[in-house]
Amino acid sequence: MPYDAEVFAAATARLEQRRSQAHEENERIKRQLYNKLPRLAAIERELANTGVTAAREIIGGGGDTKGKIEKLRQENLALQAERAELLVENGYPQGLLDVNYFCQKCKDTGYAGDSVCDCLRALLREEACKVANAGSPLPLFTFDSFDLSYYPDTSDGKYDFNVRWHMEKVFSHCKSFAAEFKHADTSLLMLGKTGLGKTHLALSIANAVIEQGYGVIYDTAQNIFMKMEDENYGRTEKKYTFSVFDCDLLIIDELPDFASPFSINSLYNIINTRMLRKLPMIVSTNLTENELAARYGERIFSRLIGQFTLLKFFGNDIRQLKLRRRSNGGAI
Ligand SMILES: Nc1ncnc2c1ncn2[C@@H]1O[C@H](COP(=O)(O)OP(=O)(O)O)[C@@H](O)[C@H]1O
Ligand SMILES: [Mg+2]
Ligand SMILES: [Zn+2]
């Protein structure tokens, strides 16, 4: 994992925070319960005692150590059972006094057995993505500020369907993609002219997915390929490139009209690798399908059209509409 010290420190700090929060919460619950049910406090003291006695036996005990340890083990189990019973009798869940770790597998230590726990991997991905997204306009866009009334409630003379109805479907597809990101198994291709809300929806998805604790990288295609090219020709570690391949969700916005052979090659590798790893991505562009095929070649085009869910954007440039609404005092 080529994460630098800064990313590692941020991730482990968050683990530590989870751990101490879990312990504090546990202490709080204990204080409350021990007040109400003093027998529980006595059981905890007795449990601690059996532990100490067992340790003493192991270190210094002569005679029948094995038998004594077994007896202590039985006492311990009986105390635990009594505690569970007492809790249930009083209407509490029987595990209420256990520390409620964010990740039970590693008890928020980040390591399960000899290996790095998935929860620490996820935090590392998230923190690496935060660094990668520094300075992007991510926080500015949400589903809430997406307004369907900007799309004509007619076929607009140009199409044989109602544009607003169509965009309503696009909008709800994006919302469910974000809400059910855990199960996302497809990628999205957003096509349409400029100013129709592609970036707005892509960033809204990004924010909703980040909120669920996933690592998301968003940038324009040009920036992404430029950073990858810098890493490719520089002597630095390929941290950004690694995250582009590895993050939970990658958003490549505005595939441009012209792309260098390096960009085209990178795009092909990104799409292939992420498809193999079942990691979703969102690609957006102002290009038409024909232009996409002509600029990016058959092998990229066939994957984008064949494997991605196609979301076509229609309507009139919303940047212009907003300016007009403003100068009309709010009316359309
Ligand atoms: N449905 C919408 N509701 C509110 N604002 C929108 C909507 N669609 C686009 N916008 C705004 O219009 C501007 C252009 O939209 P953008 O998403 O950048 O278009 P695109 O990426 O398709 O070129 C942005 O400021 C965006 O916030
Ligand atoms: Mg855009
Ligand atoms: Zn864990």
Side-chain angles (χ1 to χ4, degrees):
M1 280 184 289
Y3 294 118
D4 56 23
E6 180 196 353
V7 168
F8 213 84
T12 45
R14 285 180 61 194
L15 264 184
E16 229 158 80
Q17 201 187 346
R18 283 180 183 172
R19 206 164 52 230
S20 59
Q21 210 175 329
H23 283 281
E24 273 166 33
E25 179 62 10
N26 182 252
E27 288 303 320
R28 198 183 59 78
I29 293 174
K30 275 183 179 169
R31 273 196 304 276
Q32 268 184 5
L33 274 182
Y34 291 177
N35 244 336
K36 264 193 218 151
L37 305 168
R39 173 65 193 143
L40 283 175
I43 292 177
E44 174 167 309
R45 278 194 302 275
E46 284 171 42
L47 277 170
N49 264 336
T50 58
V52 172
T53 318
R56 229 179 258 143
E57 274 301 329
I58 291 167
I59 296 164
D64 180 19
T65 303
K66 225 171 152 193
K68 283 184 198 155
I69 299 269
E70 179 53 28
K71 194 168 150 272
L72 284 169
R73 203 178 69 86
Q74 294 301 338
E75 277 172 30
N76 201 301
L77 287 175
L79 285 167
Q80 287 182 34
E82 188 192 344
R83 180 171 63 182
E85 214 168 289
L86 207 59
L87 284 169
V88 174
E89 262 170 26
N90 285 278
Y92 300 109
Q94 58 170 312
L96 188 62
L97 286 170
D98 299 336
V99 181
N100 186 17
Y101 291 106
F102 187 91
C103 173
Q104 292 297 346
K105 207 163 111 195
C106 71
K107 297 190 162 51
D108 297 343
T109 59
Y111 296 88
D114 284 340
S115 53
V116 177
C117 186
D118 289 340
C119 72
L120 178 53
R121 282 180 206 282
L123 284 174
L124 285 165
R125 258 199 311 273
E126 248 182 82
E127 291 301 326
C129 290
K130 270 192 207 160
V131 175
N133 288 326
S136 85
L138 258 171
L140 304 174
F141 296 87
T142 60
F143 289 124
D144 288 342
S145 56
F146 192 81
D147 183 351
L148 281 161
S149 76
Y150 282 111
Y151 301 97
D153 191 14
T154 63
S155 71
D156 209 17
K158 286 183 259 178
Y159 316 106
D160 56 1
F161 54 86
N162 181 300
V163 175
R164 191 175 298 169
W165 290 2
H166 172 84
M167 289 308 297
E168 210 170 326
K169 273 192 271 171
V170 168
F171 180 45
S172 75
H173 193 95
C174 289
K175 279 203 290 192
S176 11
F177 178 87
E180 287 149 32
F181 184 74
K182 199 169 155 196
H183 309 291
D185 53 2
T186 54
S187 294
L188 308 179
L189 175 63
M190 297 178 166
L191 293 184
K193 295 210 182 90
T194 191
L196 297 184
K198 298 185 298 298
T199 299
H200 192 120
L201 279 185
L203 286 171
S204 307
I205 293 175
N207 281 316
V209 171
I210 287 172
E211 223 164 83
Q212 295 166 50
Y214 290 101
V216 179
I217 289 195
Y218 163 85
D219 214 331
T220 60
Q222 245 145 354
N223 283 341
I224 291 177
F225 297 136
M226 193 181 66
K227 287 181 201 166
M228 288 175 70
E229 201 160 354
D230 282 350
E231 285 189 348
N232 193 50
Y233 294 117
R235 290 179 191 283
T236 53
E237 250 187 293
K238 293 188 180 174
K239 284 177 214 141
Y240 185 80
T241 305
F242 173 82
S243 288
V244 164
F245 282 98
D246 189 61
C247 62
D248 298 301
L249 174 64
L250 171 68
I251 303 177
I252 306 184
D253 204 8
E254 294 168 28
L255 273 191
D257 211 359
F258 174 78
S260 68
F262 176 88
S263 308
I264 291 179
N265 214 27
S266 303
L267 181 60
Y268 180 70
N269 286 337
I270 293 169
I271 293 175
N272 261 352
T273 309
R274 293 187 63 90
M275 264 167 51
L276 277 176
R277 295 184 185 171
K278 296 195 167 27
L279 293 171
M281 53 194 287
I282 299 174
V283 174
S284 98
T285 184
N286 305 333
L287 300 176
T288 63
E289 281 152 281
N290 286 340
E291 287 165 342
L292 254 185
R295 308 287 193 280
Y296 288 86
E298 183 53 32
R299 41 181 212 156
I300 290 181
F301 180 71
S302 65
R303 276 167 179 75
L304 286 177
I305 295 295
Q307 312 280 338
F308 285 48
T309 300
L310 189 57
L311 299 178
K312 285 195 180 181
F313 286 61
F314 296 100
N316 306 306
D317 189 338
I318 290 168
R319 222 172 261 124
Q320 304 284 332
L321 291 178
K322 280 195 165 172
L323 285 175
R324 231 176 294 158
R325 270 196 194 181
R326 227 165 281 150
S327 58
N328 287 358
I332 302 179

